[in-house]
Amino acid sequence: MMALLFLVLLFCSLKDIGSRRLPAPLIWLLLSISLVWPVAGALIDGQLWHWQQLLWVLLWFLLLLPGFLFKVFGAADIKIILILALISPFDFLLHALLLAFAGIAFWWLLRDRKRREYPFIPFLTLGFGVSLWMHGALF
């Protein structure tokens, strides 16, 4: 199941790099894959899923809302982060976002200082994978 989630995240990353827009069916596919974990009663790291996880999703929404309103994040970025918040503990997603922002900063420093906008989902996918690996929950 984790491999399928990563495959869809990688496809989302490629679409974000190529067209800077994600089609809605792709986001629905990611949501349907991620809903298997709460239905099964577990999170990504194997802990029990509890209704309080929805409070973490609400917290992430409130934390990311200013970024959406000030056009730092796109709608697809927010949707994917909230989908990942539904199935992962708070610290997993926090590490993933910090690693994604660090990846964007390094990319800006090393490669491309002229651009102002970058596709965020590839960096989020990389950060999420590294975060899962750091916590020992990858495959």
Side-chain angles (χ1 to χ4, degrees):
M1 186 53 80
M2 182 75 73
L4 184 60
L5 177 73
F6 262 89
L7 186 66
V8 173
L9 275 175
L10 284 173
F11 191 68
C12 289
S13 299
L14 293 174
K15 290 295 281 185
D16 195 27
I17 289 171
S19 66
R20 304 280 301 153
R21 300 187 64 81
L22 285 181
L26 199 55
I27 294 174
W28 280 106
L29 177 65
L30 187 64
L31 179 63
S32 64
I33 291 169
S34 66
L35 284 178
V36 170
W37 273 289
V39 168
L43 293 175
I44 274 185
D45 63 344
Q47 296 176 7
L48 292 177
W49 193 90
H50 200 265
W51 64 271
Q52 293 165 338
Q53 189 71 22
L54 295 176
L55 295 176
W56 289 122
V57 174
L58 180 64
L59 176 69
W60 279 115
F61 174 74
L62 293 175
L63 287 173
L64 297 170
L65 185 61
F68 177 70
L69 294 176
F70 292 119
K71 303 207 185 307
V72 175
F73 294 115
D77 301 334
I78 299 292
K79 289 174 192 173
I80 288 181
I81 292 170
L82 293 178
I83 288 170
L84 293 177
L86 183 65
I87 60 172
S88 61
F90 184 80
D91 57 338
F92 277 45
L93 196 56
L94 180 65
H95 291 149
L97 286 173
L98 290 175
L99 289 168
F101 290 134
I104 288 175
F106 283 132
W107 185 260
W108 181 80
L109 283 172
L110 298 177
R111 256 333 248 162
D112 196 7
R113 291 191 179 196
K114 293 183 176 104
R115 283 180 43 184
R116 298 277 303 169
E117 293 183 2
Y118 296 95
F120 184 69
I121 296 172
F123 294 104
L124 179 65
T125 303
L126 179 66
F128 194 67
V130 171
S131 173
L132 289 175
W133 175 73
M134 282 177 15
H135 291 281
L138 189 60
F139 302 102

